[in-house]
Amino acid sequence: MISCFTLMTLTACTAAEQELPVEVRIANATPAVSVTARGETTPVGTPNADAADDPAIWRNAADPAQSLIVGTDKKAGLYVYGLDGKSRDFLDAGRVNNVDLKDGVAINGAQGVLVAASDRNDVANAKVALFRLDTATAKLTAIGKIDGGRGEAYGICLGRDESGLSAYIVLKDGTINQLAIDASGATPTARIVRTMKLGTQAEGCAVDDRTHILYVAEEDVGLWRFNARASGATTPTKIAAADGKNLVMDAEGVAIAPIGEKDGYVLVSSQGDNAYVLYRLRDDAYVGRFRVVDGAVGGTEETDGIELMLGDFGPAFPGGLFIAQDGHNAAAAQNFKLVAWDDIVQALGLAQP
């Protein structure tokens, strides 16, 4: 979260942080189209703080309007929300930063929804906190923690291939540890199968299970991709630089819009100018930018985590659901804004799948 300026001033940041006021950054950035949110969650419970951070989505295929959102209050724990934005559950899990989930995972001998959160309660020793999401009751149950390596836990994303389920935990210094997870027994277990490295602070990540590519945002540098397989090369490929034009540092949350067998878009939060950037998956080409502005509910600013899932989510979100953390939620505590993917597609003139 950027802390060295406010939206009401033109005061420059410290030289050490090397950031310009947000108004200047917006003026220098590539133009962005505007969309409005169709919904929002209730604010997190921690007021007057940078608290809400990252969302994850579970889609109810049988009744899409009854899908669920899991979101972090990184000072306190995990929330479960309905698509109406109302809180359905809160679990005191302490300082959990980012969150992701996978359906159809063997958990304690039964198939279910596994939720994984980067646990930074011990800043010297990263953990991944694991939970079961009961989709009938919208309740979370803690099932254990696994070691994520030495360092402060920051980002987290899950990926799955023929070898099983992996968690990719992004440490604050840019180290990325891939953990092979087994949650089928009474206590979850994991082992670090390989380590990747970016040069500076990184956080947001997402895995494309179709192509087995891991996308990671290095905050002041740009967006990268890695081979996501445990046997894959650990050398990253840069997709886009945080050049102050298309992508304005900090580069934060990452999400994927999969279309067809290999195509679609990767989205990244351009936190420095309150925008979101799309790159095409098949060739890493820049596609466009958008902002979430005030409408029926407020817009978004200084977004950390984002998530996107395509498909039917009921009448309000028929083509897919995009969620963004809002760092300035008027006089209330921070929350998450819900945007229809259809509105983004229309605003940017994207080709329909």
Side-chain angles (χ1 to χ4, degrees):
M1 173 65 64
I2 297 167
S3 58
C4 60
F5 66 89
T6 70
L7 296 174
M8 301 303 295
T9 72
L10 288 177
T11 302
C13 302
T14 65
E17 293 186 25
Q18 296 181 341
E19 294 183 356
L20 294 171
V22 67
E23 292 87 347
V24 176
R25 278 175 275 155
I26 290 174
N28 291 339
T30 306
V33 300
S34 296
V35 300
T36 57
R38 297 191 185 186
E40 64 180 332
T41 66
T42 54
V44 298
T46 303
N48 305 315
D50 175 22
D53 195 274
D54 192 48
I57 301 170
W58 173 75
R59 180 176 174 270
N60 186 333
D63 189 356
Q66 298 304 311
S67 299
L68 299 171
I69 301 162
V70 179
T72 59
D73 178 337
K74 62 188 176 186
K75 310 292 186 184
L78 289 167
Y79 284 89
V80 181
Y81 304 98
L83 294 189
D84 60 2
K86 295 180 180 178
S87 176
R88 301 280 300 278
D89 189 34
F90 173 75
L91 183 66
D92 182 355
R95 299 177 69 235
V96 287
N97 198 57
N98 279 194
V99 65
D100 200 4
L101 60 81
K102 283 289 186 187
D103 204 346
V105 177
I107 308 172
N108 302 147
Q111 296 289 305
V113 178
L114 182 73
V115 175
S118 53
D119 185 309
R120 60 200 296 202
N121 287 293
D122 179 354
V123 297
N125 298 284
K127 301 286 186 182
V128 178
L130 298 176
F131 310 85
R132 177 198 290 272
L133 173 62
D134 185 328
T135 58
T137 63
K139 301 297 182 184
L140 286 166
T141 301
I143 62 170
K145 295 183 181 182
I146 53 178
D147 291 332
R150 290 280 299 171
E152 183 175 355
Y154 222 44
I156 189 83
C157 50
L158 298 176
R160 184 161 44 191
D161 61 22
E162 62 277 359
S163 67
L165 181 69
S166 289
Y168 302 83
I169 184 162
V170 183
L171 307 184
K172 195 170 185 179
D173 69 355
T175 300
I176 305 150
N177 289 328
Q178 181 175 353
L179 285 66
I181 296 177
D182 183 356
S184 61
T187 302
T189 61
R191 60 188 178 89
I192 297 176
V193 295
R194 66 172 182 157
T195 296
M196 296 158 278
K197 187 72 172 72
L198 294 173
T200 61
Q201 184 168 308
E203 182 176 3
C205 67
V207 179
D208 188 341
D209 283 342
R210 304 167 309 160
T211 58
H212 307 297
I213 294 175
L214 166 68
Y215 298 88
V216 184
E218 186 178 2
E219 295 189 2
D220 291 348
V221 177
L223 181 65
W224 300 84
R225 58 178 165 85
F226 291 86
N227 188 317
R229 294 185 184 276
S231 60
T234 58
T235 303
T237 298
K238 183 180 282 188
I239 295 172
D243 59 2
K245 297 183 179 359
N246 293 342
L247 183 58
V248 182
M249 66 179 191
D250 297 340
E252 290 275 352
V254 180
I256 295 170
I259 298 172
E261 293 185 358
K262 295 183 178 181
D263 208 358
Y265 309 98
V266 57
L267 288 74
V268 60
S269 169
S270 177
Q271 191 191 74
D273 75 322
N274 306 327
Y276 311 93
V277 192
L278 282 75
Y279 300 93
R280 196 164 49 226
L281 294 179
R282 68 173 181 267
D283 57 8
D284 299 337
Y286 167 76
V287 174
R289 293 160 40 87
F290 69 95
R291 291 193 178 92
V292 181
V293 300
D294 290 350
V297 299
T300 59
E301 296 165 320
E302 294 187 27
T303 293
D304 286 329
I306 60 175
E307 185 58 291
L308 171 63
M309 184 175 287
L310 305 191
D312 179 16
F313 282 85
F317 309 99
L321 174 63
F322 173 79
I323 304 175
Q325 179 258 8
D326 182 14
H328 286 275
N329 187 33
Q334 295 178 348
N335 72 346
F336 301 92
K337 298 299 195 291
L338 283 57
V339 180
W341 173 245
D342 289 350
D343 293 343
I344 298 169
V345 168
Q346 182 176 3
L348 286 170
L350 303 180
Q352 294 282 13

